[in-house]
Amino acid sequence: MKECSCMQIKLLNEIEKQKVSNLFKVIADPTRIDILYTLKDSRLSVSEIKDKLNMSQSAISHQLRVLKDVNLVKDERVGKNIFYSLSDNHVYDIFNQAIDHVREEECNHE
């Protein structure tokens, strides 16, 4: 009889666990979810985000700084303007999968 050779799962190290935990804590804020959703398909300036979300510029700037600190958004200076976008496709995928999961859950309960 052959012995089962199961692959051992590599656990996250402490730094990785902390980073993943921080990422989910940041995403968990409803205002930040609004900002990420607004940036989902295009890059926008603080002013454009402010107009879309009907929030103060200082509130938007603060939340963008938090999102930038955990590498969920990036900024790009064009002349005097700074435009924000999702950092990369991973952020887009994480965000879209979360939305799909919630919407699927809603459909299953109807």
Side-chain angles (χ1 to χ4, degrees), residues 33-86:
I33 289 171
D34 284 341
I35 292 170
L36 289 170
Y37 192 78
T38 302
L39 294 173
K40 191 167 86 74
D41 296 318
S42 63
R43 69 179 192 161
L44 300 169
S45 69
V46 173
S47 181
E48 291 169 320
I49 298 168
K50 174 185 78 81
D51 292 344
K52 287 181 180 284
L53 298 180
N54 197 26
M55 295 175 61
S56 73
Q57 188 158 339
S58 63
I60 296 293
S61 293
H62 169 74
Q63 298 300 342
L64 284 168
R65 192 169 25 260
V66 172
L67 291 166
K68 193 174 170 191
D69 286 347
V70 294
N71 199 30
L72 288 170
V73 299
K74 63 183 177 183
D75 61 1
E76 178 185 352
R77 181 175 292 278
V78 179
K80 293 182 180 182
N81 296 314
I82 299 176
F83 292 91
Y84 291 86
S85 60
L86 299 181

Side-chain angles (χ1 to χ4, degrees), residues 18-29 32 66:
Q18 191 60 50
K19 285 183 175 183
V20 170
S21 176
N22 288 340
L23 177 75
F24 281 107
K25 285 176 190 174
V26 168
I27 292 174
D29 181 89
R32 293 184 204 125
V66 172

